[in-house]
Amino acid sequence: MKALIAGAGRLGTQIAQVLAAAGNNVTLVDADAHRIAALEDRITARLVVGDACEPVFLENAGAHAADLVIAVTGKDEDNLVIGLLAKRQFAVPRVVARINDDENAWLFDHRWGIDIAVPAATPLISLIEEATGAADTVALLRLSKAGVDIIETVISARSRAVGKRLADVELPDGTVIATVVRDGQPTVPEPEVRLRPGDELLLVSHAATEQEVHSAFQ
Protein backbone atom coordinates (compact mmCIF):
# COMPACT_ATOMS: atom_id res chain seq x y z
CA MET A 1 0.00 0.00 0.00
CA LYS A 2 1.15 3.53 -0.81
CA ALA A 3 0.38 5.94 2.02
CA LEU A 4 0.93 9.69 2.15
CA ILE A 5 0.84 11.28 5.60
CA ALA A 6 0.54 15.06 5.96
CA GLY A 7 1.83 16.31 9.29
CA ALA A 8 5.10 15.14 10.84
CA GLY A 9 4.16 15.81 14.44
CA ARG A 10 4.13 13.09 17.10
CA LEU A 11 1.04 11.38 15.71
CA GLY A 12 2.01 11.58 12.04
CA THR A 13 5.49 10.28 12.81
CA GLN A 14 4.19 7.34 14.82
CA ILE A 15 1.73 6.39 12.08
CA ALA A 16 4.49 6.60 9.48
CA GLN A 17 6.79 4.40 11.57
CA VAL A 18 4.14 1.74 12.07
CA LEU A 19 2.98 1.65 8.46
CA ALA A 20 6.55 1.58 7.15
CA ALA A 21 7.48 -1.23 9.55
CA ALA A 22 4.50 -3.20 8.24
CA GLY A 23 5.99 -3.08 4.74
CA ASN A 24 4.01 -0.21 3.25
CA ASN A 25 5.39 2.50 0.96
CA VAL A 26 5.11 5.60 3.14
CA THR A 27 5.69 9.28 2.41
CA LEU A 28 5.63 11.76 5.30
CA VAL A 29 5.34 15.47 4.48
CA ASP A 30 5.47 18.63 6.53
CA ALA A 31 5.94 22.33 5.85
CA ASP A 32 8.50 22.60 8.67
CA ALA A 33 11.93 21.81 7.23
CA HIS A 34 13.50 21.54 10.69
CA ARG A 35 10.93 18.98 11.77
CA ILE A 36 11.58 16.86 8.69
CA ALA A 37 15.35 17.16 9.10
CA ALA A 38 15.10 15.91 12.67
CA LEU A 39 13.48 12.70 11.41
CA GLU A 40 16.01 11.79 8.74
CA ASP A 41 17.88 9.25 10.87
CA ARG A 42 14.86 8.05 12.82
CA ILE A 43 12.38 6.84 10.25
CA THR A 44 12.45 4.75 7.08
CA ALA A 45 9.63 6.61 5.34
CA ARG A 46 10.26 9.00 2.47
CA LEU A 47 10.44 12.53 3.92
CA VAL A 48 9.37 15.60 1.94
CA VAL A 49 9.27 19.28 2.91
CA GLY A 50 6.37 21.34 1.60
CA ASP A 51 2.81 22.57 2.00
CA ALA A 52 0.35 19.71 1.48
CA CYS A 53 -2.43 22.26 0.93
CA GLU A 54 -0.83 23.11 -2.42
CA PRO A 55 -2.07 20.85 -5.27
CA VAL A 56 1.24 20.87 -7.16
CA PHE A 57 3.21 19.87 -4.07
CA LEU A 58 0.70 17.18 -3.16
CA GLU A 59 0.95 15.71 -6.65
CA ASN A 60 4.76 15.76 -6.59
CA ALA A 61 4.67 14.09 -3.18
CA GLY A 62 2.76 11.18 -4.71
CA ALA A 63 -0.93 11.82 -4.02
CA HIS A 64 -1.85 10.81 -7.57
CA ALA A 65 -0.63 7.27 -6.88
CA ALA A 66 -1.55 6.98 -3.21
CA ASP A 67 -3.92 4.34 -1.85
CA LEU A 68 -4.29 6.23 1.41
CA VAL A 69 -3.88 9.84 2.50
CA ILE A 70 -3.84 10.71 6.20
CA ALA A 71 -4.07 14.39 7.18
CA VAL A 72 -2.92 14.82 10.77
CA THR A 73 -1.64 18.38 10.91
CA GLY A 74 -2.42 20.54 13.93
CA LYS A 75 -4.85 22.71 11.95
CA ASP A 76 -8.35 21.53 11.05
CA GLU A 77 -8.53 23.88 8.09
CA ASP A 78 -5.39 22.32 6.61
CA ASN A 79 -6.64 18.79 7.18
CA LEU A 80 -9.89 19.63 5.40
CA VAL A 81 -8.14 21.15 2.40
CA ILE A 82 -5.74 18.21 2.15
CA GLY A 83 -8.65 15.79 2.33
CA LEU A 84 -10.59 17.63 -0.35
CA LEU A 85 -7.61 17.76 -2.72
CA ALA A 86 -6.77 14.11 -2.12
CA LYS A 87 -10.28 12.93 -2.94
CA ARG A 88 -11.48 15.39 -5.57
CA GLN A 89 -8.28 16.12 -7.48
CA PHE A 90 -6.32 12.91 -7.06
CA ALA A 91 -9.13 10.38 -6.48
CA VAL A 92 -7.37 8.78 -3.51
CA PRO A 93 -9.43 5.70 -2.50
CA ARG A 94 -9.18 6.25 1.26
CA VAL A 95 -8.80 9.63 2.96
CA VAL A 96 -8.47 10.04 6.72
CA ALA A 97 -8.36 13.35 8.56
CA ARG A 98 -7.83 14.20 12.19
CA ILE A 99 -10.21 16.55 14.01
CA ASN A 100 -8.28 18.81 16.39
CA ASP A 101 -11.25 20.86 17.61
CA ASP A 102 -14.47 18.95 18.32
CA GLU A 103 -16.50 21.99 17.29
CA ASN A 104 -15.33 21.42 13.72
CA ALA A 105 -16.36 17.77 13.62
CA TRP A 106 -19.46 18.47 11.51
CA LEU A 107 -17.25 19.57 8.61
CA PHE A 108 -15.33 16.32 8.37
CA ASP A 109 -17.44 14.27 5.99
CA HIS A 110 -17.74 13.27 2.33
CA ARG A 111 -18.38 16.88 1.29
CA TRP A 112 -14.73 17.57 2.09
CA GLY A 113 -13.57 14.23 0.70
CA ILE A 114 -13.12 12.65 4.12
CA ASP A 115 -13.82 8.92 4.37
CA ILE A 116 -12.79 8.57 8.01
CA ALA A 117 -12.84 11.46 10.50
CA VAL A 118 -10.76 10.79 13.60
CA PRO A 119 -11.23 12.75 16.85
CA ALA A 120 -8.02 13.92 18.53
CA ALA A 121 -8.54 11.56 21.48
CA THR A 122 -8.66 8.42 19.32
CA PRO A 123 -5.93 5.95 20.36
CA LEU A 124 -3.09 5.50 17.90
CA ILE A 125 -3.82 1.85 17.22
CA SER A 126 -7.51 2.50 16.61
CA LEU A 127 -6.64 5.33 14.23
CA ILE A 128 -4.32 3.13 12.18
CA GLU A 129 -6.88 0.34 12.10
CA GLU A 130 -9.56 2.72 10.80
CA ALA A 131 -7.19 4.32 8.33
CA THR A 132 -6.01 1.10 6.73
CA GLY A 133 -9.17 -0.93 7.15
CA ALA A 134 -6.98 -3.60 8.74
CA ALA A 135 -8.74 -6.09 10.95
CA ASP A 136 -5.54 -7.35 12.53
CA THR A 137 -3.82 -4.44 14.23
CA VAL A 138 -1.49 -6.76 16.09
CA ALA A 139 0.03 -7.95 12.82
CA LEU A 140 0.12 -4.39 11.52
CA LEU A 141 2.00 -3.12 14.56
CA ARG A 142 4.54 -5.91 14.73
CA LEU A 143 7.86 -4.20 14.19
CA SER A 144 9.66 -7.16 12.74
CA LYS A 145 12.70 -5.22 11.66
CA ALA A 146 13.30 -3.94 15.17
CA GLY A 147 12.39 -7.24 16.76
CA VAL A 148 9.83 -5.66 19.08
CA ASP A 149 6.08 -5.35 19.39
CA ILE A 150 4.02 -2.27 20.19
CA ILE A 151 1.16 -3.36 22.43
CA GLU A 152 -1.78 -1.25 23.54
CA THR A 153 -3.87 -1.77 26.66
CA VAL A 154 -6.62 0.47 28.00
CA ILE A 155 -7.38 0.82 31.69
CA SER A 156 -11.08 0.32 32.40
CA ALA A 157 -12.95 1.07 35.61
CA ARG A 158 -12.75 -2.65 36.40
CA SER A 159 -9.01 -3.03 35.77
CA ARG A 160 -7.10 -4.13 38.85
CA ALA A 161 -4.40 -1.61 37.99
CA VAL A 162 -6.68 1.39 38.68
CA GLY A 163 -5.07 3.57 41.35
CA LYS A 164 -1.73 1.78 41.15
CA ARG A 165 1.52 3.60 40.52
CA LEU A 166 3.33 2.53 37.37
CA ALA A 167 6.23 1.53 39.61
CA ASP A 168 3.96 -1.01 41.34
CA VAL A 169 2.87 -2.79 38.15
CA GLU A 170 4.85 -5.97 37.50
CA LEU A 171 5.65 -6.01 33.80
CA PRO A 172 6.76 -9.06 31.83
CA ASP A 173 10.48 -9.33 31.18
CA GLY A 174 11.71 -7.27 28.24
CA THR A 175 8.76 -4.88 28.40
CA VAL A 176 8.74 -1.11 28.97
CA ILE A 177 5.96 1.48 29.01
CA ALA A 178 6.49 3.94 26.15
CA THR A 179 3.75 6.41 27.07
CA VAL A 180 0.51 6.85 28.95
CA VAL A 181 -2.14 8.63 26.88
CA ARG A 182 -4.55 10.47 29.17
CA ASP A 183 -7.40 12.61 27.87
CA GLY A 184 -5.89 12.35 24.40
CA GLN A 185 -2.50 13.65 25.50
CA PRO A 186 0.66 11.53 25.83
CA THR A 187 2.42 11.78 29.17
CA VAL A 188 5.85 10.70 30.32
CA PRO A 189 5.50 7.36 32.14
CA GLU A 190 7.00 8.48 35.43
CA PRO A 191 7.09 5.77 38.13
CA GLU A 192 4.80 7.82 40.41
CA VAL A 193 2.00 8.19 37.84
CA ARG A 194 -1.18 6.55 39.15
CA LEU A 195 -3.36 4.83 36.61
CA ARG A 196 -6.92 6.02 36.01
CA PRO A 197 -9.87 4.58 34.09
CA GLY A 198 -9.57 5.58 30.44
CA ASP A 199 -5.77 5.68 30.43
CA GLU A 200 -4.29 4.16 27.29
CA LEU A 201 -0.85 2.59 27.61
CA LEU A 202 1.51 1.88 24.75
CA LEU A 203 4.17 -0.64 25.66
CA VAL A 204 7.18 -1.95 23.77
CA SER A 205 8.28 -5.55 24.25
CA HIS A 206 10.68 -7.92 22.56
CA ALA A 207 9.60 -10.99 24.49
CA ALA A 208 6.12 -10.77 26.04
CA THR A 209 2.88 -11.71 24.34
CA GLU A 210 -0.11 -9.39 24.11
CA GLN A 211 -1.95 -11.53 26.66
CA GLU A 212 0.91 -11.32 29.17
CA VAL A 213 0.95 -7.53 28.89
CA HIS A 214 -2.81 -7.23 29.25
CA SER A 215 -2.76 -9.54 32.27
CA ALA A 216 -0.40 -7.19 34.08
CA PHE A 217 -3.03 -4.45 34.03
CA GLN A 218 -6.43 -6.13 33.69
Side-chain angles (χ1 to χ4, degrees):
M1 178 180 67
K2 294 182 178 179
L4 191 156
I5 302 167
R10 178 192 62 84
L11 183 59
T13 300
Q14 288 180 332
I15 294 170
Q17 289 172 323
V18 170
L19 293 182
N24 297 289
N25 185 331
V26 180
T27 298
L28 179 61
V29 307
D30 198 283
D32 188 332
H34 296 291
R35 179 177 284 178
I36 289 293
L39 295 173
E40 287 183 354
D41 297 325
R42 297 172 45 203
I43 191 169
T44 57
R46 174 185 174 222
L47 300 172
V48 185
V49 178
D51 185 357
C53 292
E54 294 292 335
V56 173
F57 170 78
L58 206 55
E59 180 175 11
N60 291 337
H64 61 287
D67 302 300
L68 167 69
V69 165
I70 304 178
V72 285
T73 77
K75 296 180 179 180
D76 283 344
E77 57 268 32
D78 288 354
N79 291 342
L80 287 169
V81 169
I82 295 165
L84 186 64
L85 289 172
K87 183 65 71 176
R88 300 287 183 259
Q89 186 153 341
F90 301 108
V92 176
R94 197 170 184 86
V95 177
V96 179
R98 185 191 192 198
I99 306 168
N100 295 284
D101 186 341
D102 289 340
E103 292 185 0
N104 296 328
W106 64 278
L107 290 166
F108 285 72
D109 60 19
H110 65 280
R111 294 170 297 177
W112 282 89
I114 309 300
D115 296 308
I116 302 292
V118 184
T122 301
L124 170 66
I125 292 178
S126 297
L127 187 155
I128 295 172
E129 182 178 28
E130 290 188 43
T132 60
D136 187 357
T137 55
V138 173
L140 178 65
L141 294 171
R142 194 169 302 281
L143 304 183
S144 57
K145 291 183 180 179
V148 299
D149 294 338
I150 294 178
I151 302 170
E152 176 193 48
T153 191
V154 178
I155 305 300
S156 71
R158 302 175 65 180
S159 298
R160 59 191 179 91
V162 169
K164 280 190 176 183
R165 301 181 309 152
L166 290 180
D168 297 329
V169 178
E170 293 187 16
L171 296 175
D173 291 340
T175 302
V176 296
I177 299 173
T179 187
V180 176
V181 181
R182 178 171 290 170
D183 298 326
Q185 298 296 321
T187 62
V188 177
E190 299 286 357
E192 297 303 314
V193 170
R194 290 189 180 276
L195 292 169
R196 304 176 186 171
D199 285 350
E200 173 204 356
L201 284 74
L202 293 181
L203 302 97
V204 177
S205 180
H206 65 79
T209 65
E210 288 81 6
Q211 184 57 47
E212 287 173 332
V213 170
H214 295 326
S215 295
F217 296 92
Q218 309 303 331

